[in-house]
Amino acid sequence: MNKPHSAARKASSVERGAERTRSDPRFRWAAEAAPNALIMVGADGKISYVNGQAEKLFGYSRKELFGQTIELLVPKRVREHHIKYRQDYFQQPTTRAMGQGRELFGVRKDGAEIPVEIGLNSITTEDGTLVLASVIDITERKRLERKLAQTETLAMVGSMVAAVAHEIRNPLNSIVMAAKLLGAGDLSGEELDQVRTALTNESQRLNRTLEDFLQFARPRIPKKEPGDLNALIHEVLLAAKTDTAVAGRTVTKERLDPRLPRAAFDGDQMRQVLWNLIRNAFQAVEGKGRIEVRTEPHDGGVTIVVEDNGPGVPDDQRERIFAPFFTTKAKGTGLGLPICRSIVTAHGGEIRIDSGPNRGTRFSILLPL
Amino acid sequence: MRSQSVLIVDDDLAGRAMLRISLKQAGFDVDSAGSAEEALRRLQERRYDWLLTDAKMEPMDGFELSRRAKTLYPGMRIIMTSALYNDRDILVAPIDRFVPKPIRFDSLLNAMRA
Ligand SMILES: Nc1ncnc2c1ncn2[C@@H]1O[C@H](COP(=O)(O)OP(=O)(O)OP(=O)(O)O)[C@@H](O)[C@H]1O
Ligand SMILES: [Mg+2]
């Protein structure tokens, strides 16, 4: 029977504390000058002070707000949660931002919701704790963010369209001409061979391009199985060396650790990753440098290193090279590295680059077991 | 009448081959080169009526090749082809015709016979 009474007494003493604080002319002066909406709340959730900015932001007058619980300004769907949050906060009233990355909203008198950011401060008076919430309207910032994201998407679609056009029109060009030639008749045996080869190779090339785009646009979940990474690496390096278009007189070296633990990976996807990295390395040394591929165990995983002594990547491009469609090659699509990164990440791994002008380039893939 | 001669420049192997066979079929005297550098060497060896070059090549691209070729051999006519282009580059390039890829062979022939 005693309890409600003492709670009431405590509440009223907090109110007196609030009264003292908010009638302190220095506090009022500072609060009214603040650019943010300020709302002071007691442990019972009752509003005991608001500044002019808060009146403006929420559309209520001070009179209307005094004595109301703070949940009046919180969207209905999160009110329950808010009450609990508030009670917890008073247990440990530290200065912090509210929401921890969640989007927060306030409700105006007219019912409109506004995106806000809220900072919480506690003020301890002799009679109890008060919380001062500082509220910032971030409507404009959100609008700008959306616009920026939209612009970025558009720019990306733009480069995607350009890349698709380029990658598709060239093989298509050969196929269209080859088909026409097949109908023309009087070709020599050698010419007929060339026409047939063009039809097969170029349609395969179209399909590969399409697969690259799909892998990028809709990455497949890896089908992981324990396998022999060293064998796969050896196979890909061999294929690259025999690809006369890039190999030239490049010197290659394999240092594959035979004690490498068996990691689980998606063979097709890892082959693509290795192929992209090794092809980049061959392209970087332009047929006259050195390439080394290594494997080694590391804490709880395996590391694959592809290293070349080519021109390296300039400092300001080290992150950009992973962006889709970033390429410095006349015939590049700029999808090689983004695909590598998305596959390696889907494996729970990580891809790192160590490079600088004239230092060569080292890509490391860290895979968990 | 002597048949018209043309030098095809494209680093795309299949595209180059198909163009070479097609133009030969149409009665042209055809040579081809896989890069702008190789094309410049060929041009030193003999004269051509036409230079038919792709725009995007490495290290020298079709635009640079056209500029040099126009200065060295002003009488030779230049046709540029490309799968991807922006109109401004083409407007300012010293070329006589532009034909987009995929090439419509009829319009290419029309361009060369006009
Ligand atoms: N080993 C390397 N040495 C120097 N630069 C590199 C190396 N690997 C990648 N780069 C740089 O990163 C860019 C992007 O590489 P990425 O593999 O994503 O695309 P690309 O090789 O240009 O084209 P694609 O792989 O689609 O044919 C390259 O254009 C190049 O500038
Ligand atoms: Mg690449």
Side-chain angles (χ1 to χ4, degrees):
Chain A
M1 277 325 288
N2 218 349
K3 249 194 164 170
H5 184 67
S6 81
R9 203 167 54 210
K10 185 150 188 254
S12 71
S13 78
V14 168
E15 249 154 50
R16 279 199 307 278
E19 173 60 42
R20 268 200 300 281
T21 306
R22 67 173 188 254
S23 57
D24 179 337
R26 282 168 304 175
F27 169 79
R28 298 194 63 110
W29 181 81
E32 290 307 323
N36 304 342
L38 296 176
I39 304 171
M40 191 187 279
V41 177
D44 55 359
K46 294 254 165 67
I47 298 172
S48 59
Y49 172 78
V50 299
N51 70 355
Q53 299 290 342
E55 288 182 295
K56 243 190 1 226
L57 180 58
F58 289 98
Y60 290 98
S61 69
R62 277 165 220 238
K63 270 218 189 95
E64 289 173 294
L65 287 174
F66 287 155
Q68 297 280 353
T69 57
I70 182 72
E71 278 75 29
L72 176 69
L73 306 178
V74 172
K76 272 211 181 70
R77 62 194 137 80
V78 287
R79 273 184 197 163
E80 286 299 315
H81 174 80
H82 190 271
I83 294 174
K84 208 181 150 298
Y85 180 89
R86 154 162 70 76
Q87 288 164 347
D88 289 349
Y89 182 78
F90 272 91
Q91 302 295 317
Q92 249 193 338
T94 51
T95 296
R96 66 174 183 240
M98 199 175 157
Q100 286 134 357
R102 267 181 302 118
E103 299 202 319
L104 302 176
F105 293 91
V107 185
R108 291 172 46 91
K109 188 179 181 184
D110 60 14
E113 285 194 13
I114 30 178
V116 291
E117 220 167 64
I118 302 175
L120 299 175
N121 280 277
S122 63
I123 304 169
T124 312
T125 67
E126 46 199 88
D127 306 300
T129 302
L130 295 168
V131 169
L132 189 65
S134 154
V135 184
I136 306 172
D137 178 0
I138 56 170
T139 310
E140 182 62 7
R141 193 206 301 167
K142 285 274 164 204
R143 197 182 63 77
L144 285 177
E145 274 172 13
R146 264 200 310 279
K147 206 164 152 197
L148 198 66
Q150 221 170 38
T151 316
E152 269 167 17
T153 313
L154 278 182
M156 168 115 146
V157 169
S159 36
M160 183 121 161
V161 168
V164 171
H166 185 256
E167 293 299 301
I168 284 182
R169 275 188 188 142
N170 265 315
L172 205 57
N173 179 51
S174 303
I175 291 171
V176 168
M177 277 195 288
K180 192 139 196 203
L181 282 170
L182 276 188
D186 50 347
L187 297 178
S188 71
E190 192 195 344
E191 286 171 341
L192 201 58
D193 268 357
Q194 288 183 342
V195 170
R196 290 210 182 100
T197 313
L199 279 175
T200 350
N201 288 356
E202 297 308 289
S203 36
Q204 273 169 7
R205 183 170 150 199
L206 272 182
N207 195 42
R208 262 202 314 277
T209 303
L210 185 62
E211 251 157 37
D212 274 2
F213 277 112
L214 286 180
Q215 174 64 44
F216 168 71
R218 299 189 281 156
R220 184 164 63 71
I221 296 166
K223 291 198 206 70
K224 291 202 263 181
E225 274 165 35
D228 186 349
L229 263 177
N230 285 342
L232 183 66
I233 292 169
H234 178 75
E235 178 198 315
V236 174
L237 190 60
L238 201 66
K241 276 198 293 196
T242 43
D243 182 345
T244 47
V246 289
R249 274 179 290 117
T250 311
V251 179
T252 60
K253 188 165 169 192
E254 272 176 38
R255 272 175 42 204
L256 308 175
D257 190 332
R259 292 156 313 164
L260 198 70
R262 285 167 78 81
F265 57 90
D266 182 314
D268 287 341
Q269 292 192 350
M270 281 312 292
R271 180 178 293 113
Q272 198 179 0
V273 169
L274 291 163
W275 174 255
N276 287 347
L277 291 183
I278 289 173
R279 196 172 47 127
N280 278 347
F282 271 102
Q283 288 167 340
V285 300
E286 293 180 324
K288 46 187 185 288
R290 270 182 295 112
I291 295 175
E292 183 172 306
V293 186
R294 291 195 297 276
T295 54
E296 53 208 34
H298 75 252
D299 253 10
V302 297
T303 307
I304 307 167
V305 176
V306 178
E307 198 169 30
D308 67 68
N309 68 346
V313 178
D315 294 349
D316 59 327
Q317 286 179 7
R318 217 161 303 136
E319 254 317 299
R320 276 165 67 204
I321 58 172
F322 288 100
F325 309 113
F326 176 83
T327 182
T328 55
K329 300 168 191 171
K331 297 276 158 168
T333 313
L335 281 177
L337 289 175
I339 288 175
C340 289
R341 180 174 264 179
S342 93
I343 290 178
V344 172
T345 313
H347 276 75
E350 203 186 316
I351 182 163
R352 293 185 187 157
I353 175 175
D354 179 14
S355 179
N358 307 317
R359 276 204 290 124
T361 304
R362 175 164 65 221
F363 282 99
S364 315
I365 301 171
L366 286 74
L367 284 183
L369 285 187
Chain B
M1 188 181 103
R2 155 187 99 84
S3 60
Q4 299 252 305
S5 59
V6 51
L7 178 62
I8 299 166
V9 195
D10 197 332
D11 60 356
D12 186 79
L13 186 74
R16 192 165 73 231
M18 293 310 100
L19 208 48
R20 178 160 30 82
I21 301 173
S22 302
L23 282 169
K24 215 178 119 210
Q25 288 268 316
F28 285 85
D29 167 16
V30 195
D31 275 331
S32 65
S35 69
E37 291 77 2
E38 188 188 340
L40 287 172
R41 284 196 297 275
R42 296 250 166 168
L43 288 173
Q44 285 182 344
E45 288 158 14
R46 63 163 284 198
R47 291 297 151 89
Y48 293 89
D49 300 308
W50 296 95
L51 179 72
L52 178 52
T53 180
D54 187 38
K56 252 194 161 186
M57 294 184 293
E58 268 194 328
M60 195 194 298
D61 66 10
F63 294 100
E64 180 61 24
L65 172 64
S66 303
R67 274 190 288 278
R68 298 202 191 179
K70 231 354 178 232
T71 321
L72 292 167
Y73 317 100
M76 182 174 63
R77 279 168 295 174
I78 303 178
I79 301 181
M80 185 177 277
T81 72
S82 182
L84 183 64
Y85 52 92
N86 90 42
D87 298 338
R88 199 161 11 94
D89 288 348
I90 286 157
L91 269 176
V92 301
I95 57 176
D96 299 281
R97 304 262 194 290
F98 177 79
V99 180
K101 279 185 182 178
I103 295 173
R104 288 184 42 209
F105 196 64
D106 302 345
S107 33
L108 176 64
L109 282 186
N110 284 339
M112 295 175 82
R113 282 176 181 146

PDB file of all heavy atoms in Angstrom, chain A residues 46-58:
ATOM      1  N   LYS A  46       7.093  11.447 -19.046  1.00  0.00           N
ATOM      2  CA  LYS A  46       6.344  12.699 -19.226  1.00  0.00           C
ATOM      3  C   LYS A  46       7.263  13.812 -19.718  1.00  0.00           C
ATOM      4  O   LYS A  46       8.389  13.975 -19.250  1.00  0.00           O
ATOM      5  CB  LYS A  46       5.712  13.112 -17.890  1.00  0.00           C
ATOM      6  CG  LYS A  46       4.642  12.146 -17.414  1.00  0.00           C
ATOM      7  CD  LYS A  46       3.253  12.744 -17.592  1.00  0.00           C
ATOM      8  CE  LYS A  46       2.154  11.700 -17.487  1.00  0.00           C
ATOM      9  NZ  LYS A  46       2.023  11.127 -16.129  1.00  0.00           N
ATOM     10  N   ILE A  47       6.747  14.581 -20.636  1.00  0.00           N
ATOM     11  CA  ILE A  47       7.510  15.696 -21.187  1.00  0.00           C
ATOM     12  C   ILE A  47       7.459  16.864 -20.214  1.00  0.00           C
ATOM     13  O   ILE A  47       6.371  17.273 -19.788  1.00  0.00           O
ATOM     14  CB  ILE A  47       6.924  16.134 -22.544  1.00  0.00           C
ATOM     15  CG1 ILE A  47       7.026  14.980 -23.547  1.00  0.00           C
ATOM     16  CG2 ILE A  47       7.626  17.384 -23.064  1.00  0.00           C
ATOM     17  CD1 ILE A  47       6.306  15.235 -24.851  1.00  0.00           C
ATOM     18  N   SER A  48       8.624  17.391 -19.812  1.00  0.00           N
ATOM     19  CA  SER A  48       8.604  18.514 -18.893  1.00  0.00           C
ATOM     20  C   SER A  48       9.159  19.796 -19.514  1.00  0.00           C
ATOM     21  O   SER A  48       9.052  20.859 -18.958  1.00  0.00           O
ATOM     22  CB  SER A  48       9.382  18.154 -17.619  1.00  0.00           C
ATOM     23  OG  SER A  48      10.710  17.830 -17.963  1.00  0.00           O
ATOM     24  N   TYR A  49       9.764  19.649 -20.682  1.00  0.00           N
ATOM     25  CA  TYR A  49      10.238  20.868 -21.345  1.00  0.00           C
ATOM     26  C   TYR A  49      10.426  20.595 -22.829  1.00  0.00           C
ATOM     27  O   TYR A  49      10.865  19.513 -23.228  1.00  0.00           O
ATOM     28  CB  TYR A  49      11.578  21.336 -20.743  1.00  0.00           C
ATOM     29  CG  TYR A  49      12.176  22.466 -21.521  1.00  0.00           C
ATOM     30  CD1 TYR A  49      11.689  23.773 -21.356  1.00  0.00           C
ATOM     31  CD2 TYR A  49      13.169  22.235 -22.477  1.00  0.00           C
ATOM     32  CE1 TYR A  49      12.190  24.797 -22.136  1.00  0.00           C
ATOM     33  CE2 TYR A  49      13.669  23.266 -23.244  1.00  0.00           C
ATOM     34  CZ  TYR A  49      13.173  24.552 -23.074  1.00  0.00           C
ATOM     35  OH  TYR A  49      13.652  25.556 -23.843  1.00  0.00           O
ATOM     36  N   VAL A  50      10.082  21.554 -23.687  1.00  0.00           N
ATOM     37  CA  VAL A  50      10.461  21.501 -25.106  1.00  0.00           C
ATOM     38  C   VAL A  50      10.923  22.890 -25.524  1.00  0.00           C
ATOM     39  O   VAL A  50      10.463  23.883 -24.960  1.00  0.00           O
ATOM     40  CB  VAL A  50       9.294  21.068 -26.036  1.00  0.00           C
ATOM     41  CG1 VAL A  50       8.804  19.676 -25.688  1.00  0.00           C
ATOM     42  CG2 VAL A  50       8.154  22.082 -25.988  1.00  0.00           C
ATOM     43  N   ASN A  51      11.823  22.971 -26.485  1.00  0.00           N
ATOM     44  CA  ASN A  51      12.218  24.299 -26.970  1.00  0.00           C
ATOM     45  C   ASN A  51      11.391  24.681 -28.208  1.00  0.00           C
ATOM     46  O   ASN A  51      10.547  23.889 -28.685  1.00  0.00           O
ATOM     47  CB  ASN A  51      13.734  24.358 -27.235  1.00  0.00           C
ATOM     48  CG  ASN A  51      14.150  23.513 -28.440  1.00  0.00           C
ATOM     49  OD1 ASN A  51      13.318  22.808 -29.018  1.00  0.00           O
ATOM     50  ND2 ASN A  51      15.409  23.598 -28.802  1.00  0.00           N
ATOM     51  N   GLY A  52      11.645  25.852 -28.712  1.00  0.00           N
ATOM     52  CA  GLY A  52      10.882  26.360 -29.850  1.00  0.00           C
ATOM     53  C   GLY A  52      11.043  25.504 -31.093  1.00  0.00           C
ATOM     54  O   GLY A  52      10.094  25.295 -31.860  1.00  0.00           O
ATOM     55  N   GLN A  53      12.255  24.961 -31.279  1.00  0.00           N
ATOM     56  CA  GLN A  53      12.505  24.107 -32.445  1.00  0.00           C
ATOM     57  C   GLN A  53      11.623  22.860 -32.399  1.00  0.00           C
ATOM     58  O   GLN A  53      11.150  22.388 -33.422  1.00  0.00           O
ATOM     59  CB  GLN A  53      13.978  23.665 -32.483  1.00  0.00           C
ATOM     60  CG  GLN A  53      14.963  24.807 -32.588  1.00  0.00           C
ATOM     61  CD  GLN A  53      14.891  25.476 -33.948  1.00  0.00           C
ATOM     62  OE1 GLN A  53      14.375  24.912 -34.902  1.00  0.00           O
ATOM     63  NE2 GLN A  53      15.389  26.694 -34.029  1.00  0.00           N
ATOM     64  N   ALA A  54      11.425  22.334 -31.189  1.00  0.00           N
ATOM     65  CA  ALA A  54      10.601  21.135 -31.052  1.00  0.00           C
ATOM     66  C   ALA A  54       9.149  21.460 -31.385  1.00  0.00           C
ATOM     67  O   ALA A  54       8.459  20.685 -32.049  1.00  0.00           O
ATOM     68  CB  ALA A  54      10.714  20.576 -29.635  1.00  0.00           C
ATOM     69  N   GLU A  55       8.686  22.624 -30.949  1.00  0.00           N
ATOM     70  CA  GLU A  55       7.311  23.042 -31.282  1.00  0.00           C
ATOM     71  C   GLU A  55       7.149  23.094 -32.788  1.00  0.00           C
ATOM     72  O   GLU A  55       6.186  22.610 -33.358  1.00  0.00           O
ATOM     73  CB  GLU A  55       7.018  24.437 -30.714  1.00  0.00           C
ATOM     74  CG  GLU A  55       6.867  24.489 -29.224  1.00  0.00           C
ATOM     75  CD  GLU A  55       6.519  25.906 -28.749  1.00  0.00           C
ATOM     76  OE1 GLU A  55       7.394  26.795 -28.930  1.00  0.00           O
ATOM     77  OE2 GLU A  55       5.399  26.126 -28.261  1.00  0.00           O
ATOM     78  N   LYS A  56       8.157  23.686 -33.433  1.00  0.00           N
ATOM     79  CA  LYS A  56       8.090  23.842 -34.883  1.00  0.00           C
ATOM     80  C   LYS A  56       8.126  22.480 -35.596  1.00  0.00           C
ATOM     81  O   LYS A  56       7.346  22.214 -36.504  1.00  0.00           O
ATOM     82  CB  LYS A  56       9.274  24.702 -35.365  1.00  0.00           C
ATOM     83  CG  LYS A  56       8.772  25.959 -35.990  1.00  0.00           C
ATOM     84  CD  LYS A  56       9.694  26.877 -36.731  1.00  0.00           C
ATOM     85  CE  LYS A  56      11.123  26.584 -36.908  1.00  0.00           C
ATOM     86  NZ  LYS A  56      11.994  27.727 -36.623  1.00  0.00           N
ATOM     87  N   LEU A  57       9.021  21.632 -35.128  1.00  0.00           N
ATOM     88  CA  LEU A  57       9.213  20.343 -35.794  1.00  0.00           C
ATOM     89  C   LEU A  57       7.969  19.468 -35.678  1.00  0.00           C
ATOM     90  O   LEU A  57       7.534  18.850 -36.655  1.00  0.00           O
ATOM     91  CB  LEU A  57      10.423  19.619 -35.189  1.00  0.00           C
ATOM     92  CG  LEU A  57      10.762  18.247 -35.771  1.00  0.00           C
ATOM     93  CD1 LEU A  57      11.008  18.348 -37.266  1.00  0.00           C
ATOM     94  CD2 LEU A  57      11.997  17.670 -35.079  1.00  0.00           C
ATOM     95  N   PHE A  58       7.370  19.406 -34.470  1.00  0.00           N
ATOM     96  CA  PHE A  58       6.260  18.477 -34.278  1.00  0.00           C
ATOM     97  C   PHE A  58       4.888  19.126 -34.450  1.00  0.00           C
ATOM     98  O   PHE A  58       3.873  18.441 -34.467  1.00  0.00           O
ATOM     99  CB  PHE A  58       6.374  17.814 -32.901  1.00  0.00           C
ATOM    100  CG  PHE A  58       7.524  16.835 -32.829  1.00  0.00           C
ATOM    101  CD1 PHE A  58       8.737  17.197 -32.284  1.00  0.00           C
ATOM    102  CD2 PHE A  58       7.378  15.553 -33.354  1.00  0.00           C
ATOM    103  CE1 PHE A  58       9.796  16.298 -32.244  1.00  0.00           C
ATOM    104  CE2 PHE A  58       8.427  14.650 -33.304  1.00  0.00           C
ATOM    105  CZ  PHE A  58       9.645  15.019 -32.760  1.00  0.00           C
TER     106      PHE A  58
END
